[in-house]
């Protein structure tokens, strides 16, 4: 009887751990972007004067894909 109970409980535990192709029915949390910097704009033609912009500007610790320029002030 113990062997049957062990087998049934093992099947039950492993049966619940199977992966589903639809993502398991779990919806990932919605990530709302936040601003790390607020940007204010003034145009030279004065069509916009110190107007706060609504774009989200945030920074991350990711790898930059743009080239870097290193300036050595000790050389001429």
């Amino acid at each position: 009887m113990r062997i049957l109970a062990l087998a049934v409980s093992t099947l039950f535990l492993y049966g619940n751990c199977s992966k589903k192709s639809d993502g398991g029915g779990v919806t990932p949390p919605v990530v709302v972007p936040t601003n790390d910097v607020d940007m204010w704009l003034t145009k030279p033609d004065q069509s916009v004067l110190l107007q706060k912009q609504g774009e989200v500007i945030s920074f991350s610790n990711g790898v930059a894909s743009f080239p870097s320029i290193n300036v050595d002030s000790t050389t001429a």
Side-chain angles (χ1 to χ4, degrees):
M1 186 69 171
R2 286 184 179 174
I3 294 174
L4 180 60
L6 180 63
V8 170
S9 63
T10 302
L11 288 173
F12 178 73
L13 289 174
Y14 284 114
N16 286 335
C17 293
S18 66
K19 292 183 180 180
K20 296 181 181 178
S21 62
D22 65 351
V26 177
T27 304
V30 176
V31 178
V32 178
T34 59
N35 252 349
D36 290 340
V37 176
D38 290 329
M39 184 175 82
W40 298 76
L41 176 67
T42 296
K43 290 186 176 182
D45 65 358
Q46 296 185 351
S47 61
V48 176
L49 297 173
L50 202 59
Q51 183 178 27
K52 186 174 181 179
Q53 302 301 298
E55 291 84 16
V56 174
I57 302 172
S58 59
F59 299 95
S60 67
N61 291 332
V63 177
S65 61
F66 301 105
S68 298
I69 299 174
N70 297 319
V71 178
D72 185 1
S73 61
T74 61
T75 61

